[in-house]
Every structure is written in structure tokens, then in C-alpha cells.
Amino acid sequence: MTTSILQARVAIDEERTAGAISPLLFGGFAEHMGRCIYQGIFEPGSPFADQHGFRTDVLAALRELNPRVIRYPGGNFLSGYHWRDGVGPLEQRPRRRELAWQSIETNRFGTHEFIALCRALGAEPMLGVNLGTGTIEEAGALVEYCNAPAGTATADLRVAHGAANPFNVRYWCLGNEMDGPWQIGHLDATAYAVKAREAAKIMKWHDPSIQLVLCGSSGTGMPTYPEWDRIALEACWEHVEYLSLHYYASNRDHDTGSYLALARQFEEHLDTLAGTLRYVKSKLRSRHDVFLSWDEWNVWYKDHVVHGGWSEAPHLIEEVYNLEDALVVAQWMNVFLRRCHVLKIACLAQLVNVIAPILTRPDGLLRQSIFYPFMLFSRHATGDSLDLNVRTPTYHTRAYGDQPLLDAAASYDTMRGEGALFLVHRGRDASLATELIWQGRAPDRVMAIYQLAGDDPSAANSFEHPDVVTVRESPGGPVDDRRIRLDLPPLSLTVVKYRQEQGATAT
Ligand code: AHR
């Protein structure tokens, strides 16, 4: 039983915007690692498999999740992968030792299968080129293979493999985490910058319409952060459209209060890199803009099994997610909305089994706690991000001092006349009496309220108990006097979906 003694107020004005929300902020990542592809997305012989080997139950759950872009094929896997291994007749595809995860790669799944997955989900493909053991020629050839019309040897190979029309892949990553000593073919910043620039030139000569993501630092803890980013950007600025950042959050110290305040760190990370972008643009006197792509992000700290023992589809980093993880994911996505002027792409790492919202077994699948916040944002955060005015009590954290109890973001889609508020109550003891006040046009009604909440931050779903952490939907109602009041329970995400029919404007 909780009592409502804490109070917050959120003021909303559709004309006070923080930028347009890129749909690609709601992306995912699928790597040839563990059981993400094999036994996850793709499992020929499974009772759930369609005629192409895709698990139909997984496809249905991914459709609910609604990723708008999918990054592939890695990850650390990318830096040892030669794309020609994964195309052509199955019986000719080589079985190889895969060094990043010490697993056996059969290559039964490759570029064509990945494009089929994206088409089945209505997601944009985002392909990586190997800048570890790969050459710049191989990177250019993959662009030709995917995007060139028939009539040259490499494009005709695609046609011979069953794809008459170009795949028209628009988003491309120039390697993966090349700043990390763990990376196959790791380079220092200057060597990477030169290789990335030369690969970019060849790739864009093949198809000038593609958009390139330069490898930024693989985390804020890297000794070369953010100097790596500056060096790479200075060399490649005019050739790329995005700089990548990666980060995995953890509650290793079992300090829920600090863990639930991580939005502050996510914002600092983005602000540092946004500052680096501005610095380089000014230094180069450039008129070109580069944006950010947070193309690996998630909670990951509980499962560290990363060596596959030279087996096929081993169980690697199959993290189990709980309620507090879901609330960290929710506020991370709030940060995406608040910084959407500079952050344009984000990929949840990963989609299935490997640090993922979906876990599979031969007899079914499980939606983990983090499935729900991702789904709510990808479905409801459209249009513009709103610059909210939030008054909230604070609470004390060991890591960051006093932090707001309420973490909030909002979207408004003018075309649809619909808005959504995303409210994370970080407190553990009492509910938060929250007033939502519309200062501009007031909505006619709240269409629905979606809520994920619980008493125990460590509560998690399992195959035996799949609905411990899930979303409950309640009906909305009319909005009187431009405001509504909600009691936000402790440890909760609340999404308020509203519609503006004619709307009244404040005087
Ligand atoms: O997502 C798991 C791994 O984490 C990726 O392969 C790598 O890029 C990162 O270090």
C-alpha cells in the first residue's frame, strides 16, 4: 500500500518542440553471435519455421516490437566476416571458425536472408562493412553487390543468386568498435580514420545516395574517448553522415537508486559528442552536418559468457531482464526524444536471445521486461519531440547526487493530431501525484494509458511466469480544464496517449 504525498507537474505545449523524431531511433541490432540469428530469427526445421527458415513466432513478436531499422551482421563478428561467404547456393557456403565469439559459423544466413528479414518487418537494413580483416575493395564490392543495377560482374552475381533488383541499402557502418583492442584488426584512431575515409570514397563512388556511419568510441570508459571521435571526424567529416556511439548500462553495484538515474549519464554522453561534432564542423569551416547513431545500446552486465567453445549457435550473453532494467531502457528512450535534434539512429543491441527483448526455446518464446518500453516508444513516439516544463521532487543518489524523481519526454504528431507522454517514476516508496497541463492546444481526450509497474525492481519474466513485468492498458477519457491528474505508482513507466480533434488554444 502506498500513499500519494509527492507531487509533480508537467506542462505541455505542442509549439515548444525539441526537434523532429527520426523513426530510425527505434532500431534493432542482429549479430551473428550466440543464438541471435541461428535458433533465434532463423531456425530451419523448427515447428515455427516458414518455408525460408524464419521463425514465424519470432517474426510476429518482432512486428509487435516494430524496429524501424536493423543493423547487421555485427558487432565484433563483422571484423572477421567476408560477405561473399554468406551469398550464393547454400551447399557452397563455407563453414568457418568465427574468431570474435569462438563459434562455428555455417553461413546459412547471409545478406539475402537479412534483406528478406528487413522486408518482412518493414525495417530499413543497415549493413556493416568489415574494416578489420576486410579491405576497402571488399567494402566497395558489397555496395555494388547490393545496390548496382545488373550489368557488371558483381551486380550480376546478386542477380544469379536470385535478386534481380538492387536491394538499395541506404545505411552503412564503416566497421565496428575499431577503437577496441578486442576488435579483430583493431586500429589506432589515425589508421582507422584513413581506412574509413578511403572505404567511404569507394562505397560512395558505387552509390552516392548511401549514408555512412563512422565508428565512434565504443564507450565512455575508453581511454581514447572522445579524442578518437575528434580524430576520426576530422579525417572523414565530408564523407560521412553519422558518428556512432555504443554504451551498455549496468547495475553491477546493486545500487538501484543510482541505476535508475542513468538518464543523466546518457545525456552527458550525447552532449559530449554533440559538442565534438560542433567543434569539428567549425574547425573545418564545413557546411556539412554529421549526426549521431547510437547503434548499440542496452543493459548488459549479468551474463558474460562470450566464448562459444567452437560450437554452432552457443548460448552467449542471454541476459535476463527485470523491472529496473525496463525502466532504464524507458528513460534511455526518453533521452533519445530529448536529444533528437542530434541523435537520428539508435539500435537496441540485440533483438533476439543475445542481450535481447525476446528469448526463444524450441517450444516458444518469451517477451522480456525491456520488450514493453521499446514497443511503446516505437509505436507511439512519432512527429516532434516536445520540450516539456517539468516540476518534480528529487531523490538522493550515491552516484549523481540529487536527481529528479520524474523523468519525462513527449511527442506530438501534427499529421495525426496525436501526442504521447512518457513518464518514468524512479521512486521506490510512494506514488507521485502528477498533473499534466496543456498550455497550448488542449487535447479533447486521452485515448489510452499504458503502464508498466511493480514493487520489486528485480522482478523478471520467465517461461513459467511470462507476465510478471508487462504493460497494462487502461481507457483514457475527456480532458477537462486543459489538465489531467495521475497517480504514478513507484517504479513505473506510464505512457499517456492523447488526441486533438479541434483543440482549444490558450489565450
Ligand atoms: O552486442 C555485443 C557486442 O558488444 C558487439 O558485438 C560489440 O560491438 C560490442 O562490444
Side-chain angles (χ1 to χ4, degrees):
M1 184 74 179
T2 54
T3 43
S4 198
I5 45 167
L6 297 162
Q7 295 192 344
R9 174 185 181 273
V10 179
I12 307 139
D13 183 342
E14 278 79 31
E15 291 186 5
R16 203 167 56 223
T17 61
I21 299 168
S22 159
L24 305 185
L25 288 180
F26 313 114
F29 169 44
E31 175 168 8
H32 283 248
M33 177 180 183
R35 301 192 308 128
C36 179
I37 302 289
Y38 306 110
Q39 294 183 19
I41 291 165
F42 184 74
E43 194 172 19
S46 155
F48 295 105
D50 65 13
Q51 73 273 31
H52 306 294
F54 289 103
R55 271 188 66 153
T56 52
D57 58 338
V58 173
L59 289 185
L62 285 172
R63 282 194 190 98
E64 279 174 50
L65 201 61
N66 193 33
R68 314 313 310 138
V69 59
I70 302 178
R71 177 171 176 258
Y72 170 88
N76 297 344
F77 170 84
L78 173 65
S79 298
Y81 180 61
H82 298 287
W83 63 265
R84 285 186 174 87
D85 287 350
V87 297
L90 283 181
E91 61 284 2
Q92 288 170 22
R93 296 193 194 175
R95 204 178 140 80
R96 292 202 192 278
R97 280 188 148 208
E98 195 286 294
L99 295 180
W101 310 116
Q102 306 202 353
S103 309
I104 296 298
E105 173 56 54
T106 62
N107 284 304
R108 289 190 72 172
F109 191 99
T111 304
H112 288 249
E113 291 76 17
F114 170 62
I115 297 293
L117 170 73
C118 291
R119 302 291 188 247
L121 299 176
E124 281 281 345
M126 185 184 193
L127 277 176
V129 295
N130 172 359
L131 294 190
T133 58
T135 64
I136 58 174
E137 183 278 333
E138 193 182 353
L142 182 56
V143 176
E144 183 183 1
Y145 183 88
C146 289
N147 288 6
T152 57
T154 306
D156 286 348
L157 199 58
R158 180 196 70 236
V159 178
H161 295 156
N165 295 319
F167 295 143
N168 290 323
V169 176
R170 188 168 156 80
Y171 299 95
W172 295 82
C173 299
L174 292 164
N176 175 70
E177 294 190 351
M178 294 298 293
D179 61 328
W182 59 84
Q183 201 64 217
I184 306 170
H186 157 66
L187 298 169
D188 68 28
T190 307
Y192 167 70
V194 171
K195 189 167 182 181
R197 185 192 63 208
E198 295 309 306
K201 281 161 50 182
I202 297 179
M203 292 166 75
K204 286 198 172 173
W205 283 330
H206 277 297
D207 182 353
S209 73
I210 61 175
Q211 304 242 307
L212 296 181
V213 184
L214 186 66
C215 254
S217 293
S218 53
T220 50
M222 296 300 291
T224 47
Y225 168 81
E227 187 61 0
W228 168 283
D229 304 82
R230 180 193 67 74
I231 293 169
L233 283 168
E234 284 191 18
C236 299
W237 185 266
E238 300 294 338
H239 301 278
V240 302
E241 282 67 37
Y242 304 92
L243 173 75
S244 78
L245 62 152
H246 291 180
Y247 192 76
Y248 290 100
S250 111
N251 186 14
R252 224 170 268 119
D253 300 332
H254 305 290
D255 175 2
T256 293
S258 301
Y259 185 50
L260 288 178
L262 271 177
R264 176 193 159 134
Q265 181 178 318
F266 304 149
E267 273 170 350
E268 278 178 12
H269 193 168
L270 286 172
D271 292 346
T272 299
L273 292 174
T276 309
L277 293 176
R278 285 195 164 212
Y279 170 81
V280 175
K281 181 176 178 182
S282 308
K283 184 173 176 188
L284 299 178
R285 312 286 188 264
S286 175
R287 299 176 73 83
H288 176 64
D289 276 312
V290 175
F291 296 96
L292 296 176
S293 169
W294 205 327
D295 47 43
E296 282 184 37
W297 68 276
N298 203 347
V299 170
W300 172 21
Y301 69 99
K302 303 177 201 105
D303 186 335
H304 290 288
V305 181
V306 290
H307 289 161
W310 305 117
S311 62
E312 286 180 33
H315 285 249
L316 302 182
I317 53 171
E318 301 204 357
E319 187 100 350
V320 173
Y321 290 106
N322 59 28
L323 173 62
E324 66 179 13
D325 299 332
L327 298 178
V328 167
V329 162
Q331 60 188 274
W332 214 325
M333 299 185 91
N334 272 351
V335 170
F336 293 170
L337 299 194
R338 295 198 290 261
R339 294 293 186 273
C340 71
H341 60 287
V342 65
L343 182 69
K344 299 294 177 189
I345 302 176
C347 304
L348 180 72
Q350 300 187 8
L351 281 175
V352 185
N353 286 328
V354 175
I355 43 173
I358 298 166
L359 286 178
T360 64
R361 285 196 320 202
D363 60 343
L365 63 75
L366 176 70
R367 288 164 185 77
Q368 297 223 65
S369 65
I370 62 169
F371 184 95
Y372 298 103
F374 188 99
M375 180 189 77
L376 290 170
F377 278 84
S378 77
R379 297 202 160 275
H380 299 300
T382 60
D384 287 329
S385 167
L386 301 184
D387 181 12
L388 299 172
N389 188 312
V390 180
R391 281 192 215 152
T392 167
T394 58
Y395 73 114
H396 189 72
T397 70
R398 244 182 279 157
Y400 310 108
D402 289 346
Q403 290 298 311
L405 265 182
L406 178 65
D407 186 78
S411 62
Y412 184 72
D413 192 326
T414 315
M415 302 293 284
R416 295 183 187 170
E418 288 177 8
L421 285 133
F422 301 89
L423 308 166
V424 177
H425 176 17
R426 294 161 159 161
R428 297 178 65 176
D429 305 321
S431 58
L432 187 58
T434 303
E435 187 172 49
L436 307 180
I437 301 179
W438 280 268
Q439 295 175 315
R441 272 159 52 104
D444 305 277
R445 55 183 297 107
V446 166
M447 295 155 69
I449 296 178
Y450 306 93
Q451 197 163 68
L452 177 147
D455 301 329
D456 176 6
S458 64
N461 297 339
S462 63
F463 278 91
E464 294 68 39
H465 303 285
D467 294 324
V468 175
V469 186
T470 189
V471 174
R472 320 260 171 221
E473 178 178 346
S474 49
V479 175
D480 295 325
D481 192 25
R482 332 179 58 80
R483 71 195 66 206
I484 63 168
R485 289 178 186 85
L486 297 171
D487 250 0
L488 304 180
L491 296 175
S492 63
L493 163 67
T494 304
V495 178
V496 179
K497 188 79 199 272
Y498 63 90
R499 183 193 291 277
Q500 217 129 33
E501 300 292 353
Q502 311 102 12
T505 306
T507 48

